[in-house]
Amino acid sequence: MLRSADLDLPLTVRFDRDTEKEFCIASLCHDLGHTPFSHVLENTLLPEGFRSHEECTRALLSTESEVGKAIKSISDLEAVRLFLSQEHINKALNVLVSGSFDADRADYILRDSYMCGVNYGQYDLNWLFHSMTIETNLNEQPILVLDGRRGLDSLRQFLSARRYLYRQVYFHSAVRGAQILLKAIFDRIQDLPKNASTKALAPHCLKGLATGQRLSIGEFIAATDIEVLYMVRNFALRHKDATLRYLCRLFLDRQLPKAALDSAKSLHPLTQRGGFKIELQQSIICDDNPGLSVGRQG
């Protein structure tokens, strides 16, 4: 745990092995509520009644769930849930579960940089952790602080790594084109209520989409990227709707929408370009349906 031996803290605020275990479990469970393909399909595939993946995560850690029971057998489940809802009494560790610099960001920036084969996401994580410590605020609560003299450069390095990774990877035109196309596929599914072809070709956990229903918790747990890709491939080959079949083929063949203008990498926002107006509409003619016209936005 972070250095805190010299702090005079209330007895209710602990930095011991039990707290360390609760914090680590909360950090590992932070994104349990994500849908397949992460944020892209969150509005479509979250179970009924949930507005965000954070709400879904906390529900998955209920005392009746399988993962909740597993955590309860080795740690304090309620403390883990408090960390995830930012309500734990240890405010210093709350921000490391979810904050501007937290365990999730510290992990995915380095991991994604490595897996994508780029150097934009590199930073000195070990030194950044070494530069952090715990102090108390005016309310005698522990807070996380950074030794500016030693850690400011490593913090700048982290923030720059995150910024450049977003610009070069997460906001890459191919990535955003694939996201737009995947959303279009699910929008088209929702435009075809009670479609027998959708129900026949979708995996069991996603059959509810054919009738416009939201997933149950059980179906949500069973749904992964693999089930979505399996469904898209089935639709591309055999779905009765020509539009949906065509969109799925585009996705599988990586024929992605092209960016006519990449504002994410522009030095000047569009609002600062006097008289600059963009009107984009490109027709895509489907082989199976010559009358089909699909608007494409870059």
Side-chain angles (χ1 to χ4, degrees), residues 44-45 186 189-195 198-199 202 204-215 219 228 231 235:
T44 305
L45 296 183
F186 278 82
I189 293 172
Q190 293 176 329
D191 289 340
L192 303 170
K194 300 183 180 179
N195 186 282
T198 301
K199 189 171 184 179
H204 180 74
C205 58
L206 297 176
K207 288 187 181 297
L209 296 175
T211 55
Q213 297 176 347
R214 300 298 293 265
L215 304 187
E219 291 169 338
V228 171
M231 183 179 71
F235 288 175

Side-chain angles (χ1 to χ4, degrees), residues 24-165:
C24 289
I25 291 173
S27 298
L28 288 171
C29 294
H30 173 69
D31 280 338
L32 273 184
H34 265 311
T35 61
F37 289 93
S38 192
H39 296 283
V40 181
L41 300 177
E42 187 164 307
N43 291 334
T44 305
L45 296 183
L46 275 178
E48 185 69 39
F50 295 112
R51 295 172 297 178
S52 67
H53 74 274
E54 290 90 355
E55 287 185 5
C56 190
T57 296
R58 292 191 289 271
L60 290 173
L61 295 185
S62 70
T63 55
E64 303 302 320
S65 69
E66 184 177 347
V67 65
K69 291 177 182 178
I71 292 173
K72 193 173 182 179
S73 67
I74 60 173
S75 185
D76 185 342
L77 176 60
E78 184 57 29
V80 172
R81 286 169 57 87
L82 288 173
F83 271 129
L84 290 170
S85 61
Q86 298 287 284
E87 296 174 350
H88 196 279
I89 191 171
N90 195 323
K91 306 300 181 184
L93 295 183
N94 273 344
V95 298
L96 280 181
V97 174
S98 181
S100 299
F101 171 78
D102 56 29
D104 183 35
R105 288 177 173 85
D107 168 62
Y108 77 65
I109 289 176
L110 290 173
R111 178 164 42 84
D112 290 351
S113 174
Y114 174 79
M115 296 302 293
C116 292
V118 299
N119 294 320
Y120 298 109
Q122 299 299 315
Y123 69 97
D124 193 344
L125 176 62
N126 291 332
W127 186 253
L128 188 54
F129 275 143
H130 184 72
S131 305
M132 291 180 178
T133 188
I134 302 294
E135 299 291 345
T136 54
N137 60 16
L138 296 177
N139 297 322
E140 300 300 319
Q141 294 176 322
I143 57 173
L144 186 68
V145 297
L146 180 75
D147 185 336
R149 182 174 56 86
R150 297 193 305 169
L152 194 56
D153 286 341
S154 57
L155 179 61
R156 287 197 186 104
Q157 194 181 32
F158 164 79
L159 295 173
S160 296
R162 185 185 176 203
R163 179 189 178 209
Y164 293 137
L165 201 61

Side-chain angles (χ1 to χ4, degrees), residues 224-236:
T224 67
D225 292 6
I226 295 174
E227 277 71 33
V228 171
L229 289 174
Y230 169 80
M231 183 179 71
V232 170
R233 184 172 295 278
N234 273 351
F235 288 175

